Amino acid sequence: MTNHWVDIKNTDLVLIMGGNAAEAHPCGFKWVTEAKAHRKARLVVVDPRFTRSAAVSDYYAPIRAGSDIAFLGGVINYLLTHDKIHHEYVKNYTDSSFLVKDEFSFENGLFSGYDPEKRSYDRSSWGYQIGEDGYARVDPTLQHPRCVFQLMKAHYSRYTPEMVSTVCGTPQAAFLKVCETIAETSAADKTMTIMYALGWTQHSVGSQMIRTGAMVQLLLGNIGAPGGGMNALRGHSNIQGLTDLGLLSDLLPGYLTLPRDAEQNFGAYIDKRASKPLRPGQLSYWQNYNKFHVSLMKAWFGDAASAENNWCYDWLPKMDKGYDLLQVFEDMGQGKVNGYVCQGFNPLGSAPCKVKVSNSLSKLKFLVIVDPLATETSEFWQNHGEYNDVDPTKIQTEVFRLPSTCFAEEDGSLINSGRWMQWHWKGAEPPGDAKGDQEIMAGIFLRIRALYQKEGGAFPDPILNLTWKHKVPSSPAPEELAREFSGKALKDVTDPKDPTRVLVKAGEQLNGFGELRDDGSTSCGCWIFSGAWSEKGNLMARRDNADPFGIGQTLNWAFAWPANRRILYNRASCDPSGKPYDPARKLIAWDAGAGKWTGADVPDFVADSAPENGMNPFIMNPEGVARFFAVDKMAEGPFPEHYEPFETPLAANPLSPGNPMVRSSPAARVFKDDWATFGKADKFPFVATTYRLTEHFHFWTKHARLNAITQPEQFVEIGEELAKAKGIKAGDHVRVKSNRGHIVAVAVVTKRIMSLNVNGKRTHTVGIPLHWGFMGLAKNGYLTNTLTPFVGDGNTQTPEFKAFLVDVEKV
Amino acid sequence: MQVTRRQFFRICAAGVGSSSLAALGFAPGEALAEVRTFKLAQATETRNTCPYCSVGCGLLMYSLGDKSKNTETAIFHIEGDPDHPVNRGTLCPKGAALVDFVRSPNRLKHPEYRAPGSKEWKRISWDDAFDRIARLLKDDRDKNFIATNDKGETVNRWLTTGVLAASAASNETGYVTHKVVRSMGILGFDNQARV
Ligand code: SF4
Ligand code: SF4
């Protein structure tokens, strides 16, 4: 979230799209209720199902699963054609005035630079025109035909209300009603918040759906404002933390990135990431990349990391391509992977296309499971009848199952969706011989290290030199690890403006990332967390819920990264002169007398940079402003374009009907053998989408008795029209089939799933809750991912769980 | 359901635990407060946060045993933390049932091993498990580590083993896991943020 849960109370309008907070994030949704009750805020829900969020909304519009870019593109078109935008914000705080290279173009559903063989783009034309002064060229009048504003306007002019209705199945009147409501927040003192979740991420164009939402918010001036923002309702309790800590194939902690093969030169690796400002007077904070990176290497490799060896640059693995979950399962299926460790992850249920995942796991030599619960993955080799029909004697994988503690049995911090790092305390011992995850990692690592010490082996240096300064090496303490990622001074850190002034003494914890240095004098395991554990102590454990400004920011409750800032980009809640756009909801403001920014939140800005200096609010971007034009950052193109899901009821993309190449995303990676596993609408005519129920959390709660009682048995939801056509009554058992497998479940026949007219055809949706499996206390059921296709988003490779094709029949 | 304090105790005596009645909202305020004092006064209170969704609701966990040596603690009740700015004491149906996760009969208790082709688990000691896993990992790494690519560029990667980390694990676990995994050169590394 750019903002956070409590801040939702400051909004005027909530748009829930691609999520269902009332059901999946109930105690956070409470703040929507609060805004409705106390600010007269309204709630608009756009969803394929009339969800529990929709049930308490002021307005609900149905949409076909997978068509959100068409809908939001239509909203952009509406805002631009009706001139319902926040002009000052758009002009000053976005790249609307930037001129785009002449070579950039969009035609027939494709942007310039497409290579059909590689299914990817040469992105070199996707950039700004750079003037002789080295800065991007701009036209502040926004009239130049090559400026971002005009290009954007032209791009989305095709997303007419008629087109939206054709693609999404949303009745035109409903679409326009949503547009009108959203448009009201273009007023400078009105804000809208967008709350989304996996309903946007789990598509082959999921990242672009989110971008389109962000573009709407920028047009309305709603980013940085209290009650505004783009608010990702993350799934797991610490999925935010693990993302921040970079536990993804291509990342390092704090959104630093691993080098590619070609990046053999350390200096060039840093320079590429330390972007220089693209406009005069801008901060471009990533210019400090070297400080973050060197401090990380000092945290990991200690004295072994020195300027002479480029801070152990060569010790980091380099990437020839991405090795995301889908790529790894593809490789595993081809026999290229021997070992796999699943720490609290149940890929048999969570990765797409269960049959493929199961076959891949069966090719492993060894699998190590670390979990508090008996997961399906840990028994992928066991025959569980119809739900897991395998022959154990044919599966040669050695499997270890190691019991770990759960939350209640350990100290540590988790990061909620609002970026709050919250410390928690151990309340009991784990059952039996279970051990904490840190102890288990240490147990394995220290033995490997001992083997390398004894026997030598392949490139042992990083293993032998990894810092491991723990009182009990076999059981690193959470406090020690938290202090390590927060960072400390290795030598005295001095003020760059006055070198005689010592800011932090050697050995002390740092106050924040402003104190990081690139000369090896600081160590910090995750720069964005810096200051979470300072000399003041563990700030994540703070419990003062005082809200002195009455605007819900509670700065002394826990610690929010970065720098305890609660609302990102909050400088943009003020006009260029530093006055809040809505004085009644003042977050921060320029205090000319004091010569600094002050207020209810930690300013997301250089604290003493006066408005007249002309520094813009989006300090992480080299532009200094937010981007409508994504330059070369997105696989599918700089402007989001609607592409159909890989399994679609439509024969062509209505936006570019003549080009078969762009029916679905032309830039999504599809493995060779997977094309044949995609189903077609003639055999699988219905759109399926998966989701959560409020009583369950993924595949865990079926192990908890109360949850198993409240939702004991697998079901699917179908609309009345489809049920009638198929002769299905509520309570019947139905078989839902995709081209990859089938599940059997009880049918819930409901008005909540409507049939829609899409592209002139009646289109039905099947809703599939995802919580059952063959382990647990609930009635056994099928893993939902038996049905889903093995294809992911072109940028993140997040699987397309939210839109695929099925057939339904009564059994 | 309206009950007086006296009726409330009568209902309790009929065999329904007071805390579950309270959870169902049947207790009058005064009686609720009184009964809970009796019951929870003996308990140790520990603050935690819900491990399920990213709202991160604050929890109070009540356990028996005072955490002193030679006592075993057991959590018997979990409720929302009324001081927490986000949930203000509330919990959803998932959080409200957390004690059943902590005490699930399906909690793993001992390290287990399944041999190739076998149909069953066998108990194994932690030491044996760690030794065997370390051996397998090291042998695979030594055999398949790629120091340089075809062009002779230094790449130092290990692709034949992968790791999935847990996004319900703490930052401290995530941090130490990342450190260990990258020091070995593993690239096939993700957490649930990927899916
Ligand atoms: S605990 Fe049970 S057996 Fe003992 S006195 Fe009470 S009701 Fe009777
Ligand atoms: S109690 Fe419910 S809403 Fe709160 S964190 Fe847990 S799952 Fe989320």
Side-chain angles (χ1 to χ4, degrees):
Chain A
M1 292 169 97
T2 55
N3 297 39
H4 59 93
W5 292 109
V6 179
D7 178 68
I8 295 167
K9 76 170 184 164
N10 294 318
T11 200
D12 299 298
L13 176 66
V14 181
L15 173 64
I16 296 186
M17 190 168 171
N20 176 15
E23 178 131 19
H25 301 87
C27 300
F29 182 80
K30 201 154 57 68
W31 293 98
V32 176
T33 313
E34 176 97 1
K36 278 167 68 86
H38 297 294
R39 273 193 73 80
K40 307 246 178 306
R42 283 163 303 160
L43 168 63
V44 171
V45 173
V46 180
D47 201 282
R49 299 180 297 126
F50 186 79
T51 59
R52 279 180 169 164
S53 303
V56 290
S57 69
D58 296 275
Y59 196 74
Y60 164 74
I63 183 176
R64 173 175 59 107
S67 65
D68 302 53
I69 293 176
F71 192 103
L72 294 164
V75 174
I76 293 178
N77 185 38
Y78 179 96
L79 297 175
L80 291 171
T81 49
H82 292 77
D83 195 27
K84 286 286 187 185
I85 64 171
H86 187 329
H87 282 276
E88 189 176 67
Y89 189 106
V90 168
K91 189 175 150 200
N92 291 288
Y93 298 164
T94 75
D95 66 352
S96 59
S97 61
F98 285 50
L99 304 190
V100 171
K101 286 182 186 174
D102 288 328
E103 305 85 79
F104 169 77
S105 66
F106 177 79
E107 234 172 296
N108 216 0
L110 288 167
F111 293 91
S112 42
Y114 190 61
D115 180 341
E117 299 279 285
K118 291 194 193 143
R119 288 183 51 78
S120 70
Y121 283 96
D122 166 3
R123 307 183 198 178
S124 55
S125 64
W126 304 357
Y128 305 121
Q129 299 181 18
I130 304 294
E132 272 159 26
D133 55 2
Y135 291 124
R137 294 178 59 207
V138 297
D139 172 25
T141 68
L142 309 187
Q143 295 308 311
H144 195 290
R146 296 303 295 176
C147 81
V148 167
F149 188 80
Q150 295 299 336
L151 291 174
M152 170 168 64
K153 205 167 165 181
H155 189 87
Y156 291 105
S157 64
R158 304 173 300 131
Y159 289 69
T160 59
E162 297 74 26
M163 180 58 80
V164 171
S165 192
T166 300
V167 177
C168 307
T170 313
Q172 260 194 62
F175 167 70
L176 289 170
K177 170 88 182 161
V178 174
C179 288
E180 283 160 23
T181 313
I182 289 177
E184 288 174 30
T185 68
S186 62
D189 61 351
K190 289 267 178 286
T191 51
M192 169 174 78
T193 177
I194 295 186
M195 297 167 69
Y196 69 94
L198 288 297
W200 272 359
T201 62
Q202 290 177 333
H203 291 280
S204 51
V205 287
S207 305
Q208 293 279 32
M209 285 181 188
I210 298 164
R211 271 211 102 243
T212 324
M215 290 167 74
V216 168
Q217 286 293 61
L218 287 172
L219 284 171
L220 298 164
N222 286 337
I223 300 279
M230 279 300 285
N231 294 307
L233 315 183
R234 310 290 316 255
H236 288 63
S237 55
N238 201 31
I239 206 150
Q240 186 62 51
L242 264 80
T243 311
D244 301 336
L245 284 162
L247 285 88
L248 291 157
S249 56
D250 50 340
L251 293 184
L252 288 168
Y255 302 95
L256 307 180
T257 50
L258 279 176
R260 313 281 304 194
D261 280 11
E263 298 185 292
Q264 293 289 309
N265 181 291
F266 175 62
Y269 161 82
I270 295 290
D271 285 349
K272 185 160 177 234
R273 288 155 179 81
S275 318
K276 299 274 172 307
L278 275 170
R279 294 292 303 157
Q282 303 311 312
L283 186 62
S284 193
Y285 200 69
W286 280 115
Q287 286 187 95
N288 297 297
Y289 193 97
N290 204 20
K291 298 175 187 167
F292 313 149
H293 180 84
V294 172
S295 300
L296 169 65
M297 294 293 103
K298 291 302 287 181
W300 282 7
F301 299 119
D303 293 340
S306 65
E308 290 68 48
N309 68 5
N310 291 325
W311 315 103
C312 299
Y313 179 61
D314 288 343
W315 294 15
L316 293 173
K318 292 196 181 63
M319 302 199 306
D320 55 340
K321 59 174 184 194
Y323 289 91
D324 54 274
L325 181 85
L326 299 189
Q327 180 72 56
V328 170
F329 273 99
E330 169 72 14
D331 291 349
M332 209 185 278
Q334 293 178 19
K336 293 181 192 160
V337 180
N338 303 318
Y340 210 43
V341 181
C342 298
Q343 181 196 61
F345 200 133
N346 189 10
L348 193 66
S350 312
C353 191
K354 184 190 166 226
V355 63
K356 179 163 177 167
V357 175
S358 177
N359 287 339
S360 296
L361 290 170
S362 304
K363 298 226 167 85
L364 285 172
K365 294 207 175 83
F366 62 97
L367 172 67
V368 181
I369 304 287
V370 183
D371 212 286
L373 292 164
T375 62
E376 277 80 8
T377 305
S378 75
E379 300 217 354
F380 82 94
W381 48 271
Q382 185 70 289
N383 189 295
H384 285 271
E386 59 183 309
Y387 306 116
N388 200 50
D389 198 5
V390 296
D391 179 357
T393 60
K394 299 222 169 74
I395 297 175
Q396 296 305 309
T397 313
E398 260 184 82
V399 187
F400 300 83
R401 186 158 73 177
L402 308 179
S404 65
T405 50
C406 75
F407 73 102
E409 297 143 5
E410 64 190 24
D411 290 352
S413 62
L414 305 182
I415 307 186
N416 77 0
S417 236
R419 295 170 286 98
W420 293 9
M421 307 173 75
Q422 304 193 96
W423 196 262
H424 64 265
W425 288 266
K426 173 176 171 169
E429 294 300 329
D433 300 332
K435 282 185 194 296
D437 289 296
Q438 292 148 31
E439 211 177 337
I440 296 170
M441 280 316 291
I444 296 170
F445 173 72
L446 292 177
R447 277 170 180 76
I448 293 177
R449 169 127 100 188
L451 289 174
Y452 275 103
Q453 271 154 352
K454 203 165 107 210
E455 308 167 351
F459 195 53
D461 309 42
I463 296 173
L464 296 178
N465 288 293
L466 194 69
T467 56
W468 205 266
K469 291 179 187 149
H470 301 289
K471 241 186 239 151
V472 184
S474 62
S475 183
E479 295 76 11
E480 295 170 326
L481 294 164
R483 292 170 70 103
E484 183 174 324
F485 64 58
S486 183
K488 68 174 181 190
L490 300 172
K491 298 180 193 140
D492 287 356
V493 175
T494 54
D495 187 346
K497 287 179 200 144
D498 172 12
T500 62
R501 213 179 124 227
V502 175
L503 298 173
V504 196
K505 288 213 272 301
E508 285 185 354
Q509 291 292 114
L510 302 172
N511 297 299
F513 44 76
E515 293 168 351
L516 295 175
R517 299 291 180 263
D518 58 9
D519 60 0
S521 60
T522 56
S523 104
C524 175
C526 184
W527 75 274
I528 56 176
F529 294 173
S530 188
W533 195 311
S534 69
E535 284 303 309
K536 293 185 206 111
N538 181 359
L539 303 192
M540 300 175 279
R542 294 184 300 174
R543 296 187 46 82
D544 176 357
N545 58 13
D547 176 20
F549 294 84
I551 194 169
Q553 306 307 325
T554 57
L555 293 185
N556 293 317
W557 181 275
F559 182 85
W561 75 259
N564 202 31
R565 188 169 290 138
R566 307 285 155 147
I567 296 183
L568 298 181
Y569 316 116
N570 57 31
R571 163 68 182 87
S573 67
C574 295
D575 67 14
S577 78
K579 284 201 249 345
Y581 276 119
D582 181 7
R585 276 174 297 185
K586 177 183 146 186
L587 204 52
I588 62 160
W590 174 249
D591 181 341
K596 60 179 184 187
W597 293 85
T598 56
D601 196 5
V602 177
D604 190 354
F605 209 56
V606 178
D608 59 358
S609 178
E612 15 332 337
N613 293 346
M615 187 186 286
N616 278 318
F618 292 85
I619 55 176
M620 300 307 290
N621 288 349
E623 294 92 335
V625 293
R627 300 183 196 105
F628 287 116
F629 188 79
V631 291
D632 59 355
K633 308 276 183 221
M634 304 293 286
E636 302 84 0
F639 292 129
E641 171 73 0
H642 167 74
Y643 299 109
E644 286 291 310
F646 271 81
E647 291 190 338
T648 165
L650 304 188
N653 183 344
L655 278 145
S656 308
N659 187 356
M661 233 165 0
V662 299
R663 184 172 75 156
S664 301
S665 167
R669 180 194 64 195
V670 181
F671 296 110
K672 208 170 101 255
D673 294 344
D674 290 328
W675 285 106
T677 69
F678 297 149
K680 300 203 169 53
D682 54 349
K683 281 209 194 122
F684 303 98
F686 310 124
V687 176
T689 191
T690 64
Y691 47 92
R692 278 193 199 163
L693 304 171
T694 204
E695 296 83 0
H696 275 302
F697 190 82
H698 290 266
F699 314 108
W700 309 10
T701 48
K702 61 180 162 56
H703 296 281
R705 195 168 305 277
L706 190 56
N707 307 82
I709 290 167
T710 49
Q711 284 290 5
E713 187 176 0
Q714 187 160 29
F715 66 89
V716 297
E717 293 188 273
I718 50 177
E720 290 177 341
E721 200 178 316
L722 174 59
K724 199 162 158 223
K726 286 275 174 178
I728 296 166
K729 287 192 300 298
D732 285 349
H733 278 81
V734 291
R735 181 176 293 112
V736 180
K737 306 186 286 192
S738 79
N739 204 29
R740 294 156 294 274
H742 73 267
I743 65 171
V744 176
V746 174
V748 169
V749 177
T750 172
K751 289 190 191 339
R752 296 187 308 262
I753 297 190
M754 284 159 227
S755 300
L756 300 170
N757 289 325
V758 177
N759 205 23
K761 222 180 122 215
R762 210 64 190 146
T763 304
H764 307 289
T765 294
V766 178
I768 308 175
L770 51 75
H771 301 293
W772 290 272
F774 55 83
M775 306 289 283
L777 304 173
K779 256 186 109 172
N780 281 348
Y782 289 83
L783 289 169
T784 308
N785 280 339
T786 307
L787 300 172
T788 54
F790 202 85
V791 61
D793 172 83
N795 304 279
T796 61
Q797 307 305 340
T798 297
E800 188 150 65
F801 291 154
K802 290 294 184 263
F804 53 98
L805 292 180
V806 296
D807 192 13
V808 189
E809 64 191 14
K810 196 170 150 175
V811 288
Chain B
M1 181 171 161
Q2 280 290 324
V3 285
T4 64
R5 182 166 172 271
R6 186 184 288 270
Q7 283 169 329
F8 181 73
F9 282 117
R10 209 178 295 136
I11 299 165
C12 292
V16 186
S18 58
S19 62
S20 55
L21 260 186
L24 295 169
F26 291 160
E30 188 195 353
L32 173 66
E34 215 172 318
V35 171
R36 279 148 92 81
T37 311
F38 291 152
K39 188 154 184 186
L40 301 180
Q42 311 291 327
T44 303
E45 181 186 279
T46 311
R47 294 179 194 275
N48 210 299
T49 53
C50 178
Y52 291 136
C53 92
S54 66
V55 177
C57 292
L59 304 176
L60 300 177
M61 307 192 300
Y62 293 93
S63 52
L64 292 177
D66 59 0
K67 296 188 187 172
S68 60
K69 271 248 182 292
N70 304 323
T71 61
E72 283 221 358
T73 49
I75 292 167
F76 66 88
H77 177 66
I78 296 178
E79 63 182 33
D81 178 352
D83 291 336
H84 196 281
V86 177
N87 64 307
R88 295 189 171 176
T90 63
L91 293 176
C92 81
K94 293 173 281 285
L98 269 169
V99 75
D100 281 357
F101 164 38
V102 177
R103 307 183 67 148
S104 168
N106 293 354
R107 288 290 302 272
L108 300 174
K109 295 182 186 68
H110 309 285
E112 291 163 297
Y113 176 74
R114 181 262 178 183
S118 164
K119 291 182 176 169
E120 58 182 17
W121 292 109
K122 286 237 158 62
R123 286 267 287 271
I124 179 176
S125 73
W126 277 107
D127 272 335
D128 289 351
F130 285 156
D131 283 340
R132 175 81 188 138
I133 293 166
R135 185 80 260 166
L136 285 166
L137 288 169
K138 179 170 188 283
D139 288 353
D140 187 58
R141 185 174 182 274
D142 284 349
K143 205 162 146 215
N144 298 300
F145 191 80
I146 306 169
T148 52
N149 66 10
D150 301 345
K151 291 188 195 149
E153 294 162 335
T154 303
V155 296
N156 285 332
R157 59 179 167 244
W158 175 24
L159 301 177
T160 50
T161 283
V163 175
L164 289 177
S167 57
S170 68
N171 291 319
E172 294 69 30
T173 291
Y175 176 72
V176 77
T177 301
H178 194 168
K179 203 171 141 171
V180 166
V181 165
R182 291 296 187 218
S183 76
M184 300 202 210
I186 290 176
L187 286 179
F189 181 37
D190 266 329
N191 75 85
Q192 283 94 346
R194 184 68 74 191
V195 296

